[in-house]
Structure formats: structure tokens, C-alpha cells
Amino acid sequence: MKTRPTQKLALSLGKIILTGLLVLSFSLYFLYPQIFYCELIGLSGFKSGNGKIYFSPDIKTKEYAGLKRLVSRAESRIDSFYTGRNSSPKVIICRTPQQYRRYCSSTEGAGCSIGTPWGSTYVILNAQGMNTDVIAHEMSHIELLKRLGWWKTAREVPQWFNEGLALMLDRRFIVETDPVQRYRAYRAEWRYYTRNGRNRLSLKEISTISEFFKGDQRHVMTAYMTSGMEVSRWLIKDEKGALARLIKQMNEGRTFAEAYGAHQFKDSKKISE
């Protein structure tokens, strides 16, 4: 029986698509293995009852409830700060350094977040160091990505803003939640790490991921405190309104600089009660 032209065309297209998918999968594995493993988390030995939170097989079942509570508290912070929660990342909780390195591509820190151009999002946590602050910090990155889209977040949002925003939900460094007191607390930490401004970093110097995290621990902490101080200052007058307007204006086509406003970083800026 002869194969019709349309059938031949369909077979050819099928082969091309299959080949493309195989090439894409191999490329993803070699270039970004952490994304590859995250995408296949459902096929791993990690356990999940709802397809949302995945527990390392080395985590005992009796620990699940406590870890779920931490995730829930972090989600509540996102909901409150962003006035609603649009994102729903898969949460991968690791027990060993090897597991954390596989899904996060790093052995440092207690958590990281991954977002892809096609919409998949993940928060990877180290069970031994995770807490509500760590989870809320990483979920903030994902929430901003969800609201602005991967391209805008990756190409237009400076890293100091992304990290500074996450610090507003992360109370590991500053516990104050009142806007003015929070700014003053970050300013005090900034003065400590910069030796009263002598070793300061400009916002331009920490605009990319590589610039933000390069150098030693003091550089990274200075970058965090610089970001926290600037974003907390920006949010003083209208915390929820300022962020909502920025997101709305960027989604309407404005650049980050236009949406954020012409603010110049100055430690000496006076904040009235």
C-alpha cells in the first residue's frame, strides 16, 4: 500500500519535532542541569501528595507537617506584601548537600529559586537551614517573575531591586516591619558593612546577578544591605501602592527606570516620621 503525500509530510514533521525535542532536552541537561532535574522532579524519588511540595526521600514523614507550615507562612507573607499571590511554584525540599546541588546547582545558602521562559517555577530548599524567611525570600523572586514575566524580570529588573524586594519579606537581617523603622535598621546595617559609607557600592555596581554575588561575603552582604536600604526607603510613603504601580506601569510598556522613578541613592536622605 502506497503512503500518501500527506502521510509522508506528517511523518517527516513528526521526525523533525521529535529530533528537536531530543536536541532541546540534551541541551537543557548539559547547559542547565538544575532545570532539567527540576522539570523531572515528578519522576524522581522525591515524595509529594499534591504535586506542589516535594520531599526528599531522606526526610521522615513525621517532619512533613512542620515543613508544610513553614511554606504556608511564607505564602501568607507573599499574599500580604503583594496584595494577593499569583504564583504557585513547585517547592523541592532537599535533605542532603548532593540533592541541593542537583536541583539548585549550588552548595551555598538555604534556598534558591528558578524560573523558566516557558513558565515553570521552582523554589528549592535545604531542609536543614530552611525557615519562613528563606522561603518567603525565594518566593518573592518567583512572585515578581510571575507578575512581570520572565523576559522583563531577567532583562529589565536590576538585581538590587529584586533582592531588595525579597528582603522586605525576609527578616533574617532586619526584624522591623514598620516602614520607617525598617529603613533606619537597614541604614544602620549599611553603615556597618560599608564602614560609614567608605566602602559603599552604587546601585549600578550591583545591577546584575554576577555583579551582586561576585567577591567575598562582605561584598555580598554590602550588596544586600544596599538593596534593602534603597528599597525600604522607596517603599516608605506607600508600600503596597508603589509596588503595584511599578508592576502595572512596566506591564504597560514603561522601563524599570521610568516606573521606579528618578530616585538617587543617598545615605544622608532624611526620612520624616
Side-chain angles (χ1 to χ4, degrees), residues 58-84:
D58 299 307
I59 296 175
K60 295 179 181 178
T61 306
K62 65 181 181 180
E63 299 179 67
Y64 288 7
L67 295 173
K68 285 180 179 179
R69 278 195 295 271
L70 293 178
V71 173
S72 180
R73 289 170 189 162
E75 290 175 338
S76 294
R77 286 192 192 179
I78 296 294
D79 185 78
S80 176
F81 185 74
Y82 282 89
T83 316

Side-chain angles (χ1 to χ4, degrees), residues 160 190 193-195 197-207 211-227 229-230 265-266:
W160 62 260
W190 177 86
Y193 280 103
T194 64
R195 295 183 172 90
R198 291 192 295 273
N199 298 328
R200 65 190 289 174
L201 292 170
S202 69
L203 296 178
K204 186 176 180 180
E205 291 177 299
I206 52 174
S207 292
E211 291 170 340
F212 197 100
F213 292 104
K214 74 177 182 181
D216 56 16
Q217 184 179 14
R218 192 173 191 91
H219 170 92
V220 175
M221 286 304 299
T222 301
Y224 270 123
M225 295 307 110
T226 302
S227 303
M229 184 170 81
E230 170 59 14
F265 176 85
K266 290 183 180 179

Side-chain angles (χ1 to χ4, degrees), residues 73-169:
R73 289 170 189 162
E75 290 175 338
S76 294
R77 286 192 192 179
I78 296 294
D79 185 78
S80 176
F81 185 74
Y82 282 89
T83 316
R85 186 167 60 90
N86 292 353
S87 61
S88 184
K90 289 183 179 179
V91 179
I92 301 173
I93 305 178
C94 306
R95 171 66 83 192
T96 68
Q98 293 77 17
Q99 291 169 351
Y100 187 70
R101 188 188 309 116
R102 167 174 285 192
Y103 293 101
C104 192
S105 193
S106 173
T107 56
E108 299 180 1
C112 74
S113 53
I114 294 176
T116 67
W118 52 88
S120 299
T121 54
Y122 304 90
V123 168
I124 300 93
L125 302 165
N126 185 339
Q128 309 217 348
M130 67 178 275
N131 54 45
T132 302
D133 295 311
V134 170
I135 304 169
H137 185 115
E138 300 306 330
M139 284 187 168
S140 176
H141 292 317
I142 297 298
E143 184 67 23
L144 185 64
L145 183 147
K146 177 67 175 179
R147 289 172 181 254
L148 289 177
W150 183 88
W151 182 257
K152 272 193 182 71
T153 305
R155 303 295 298 176
E156 297 185 35
V157 176
Q159 193 64 21
W160 62 260
F161 181 77
N162 205 334
E163 294 296 342
L165 209 58
L167 286 176
M168 299 302 101
L169 295 96

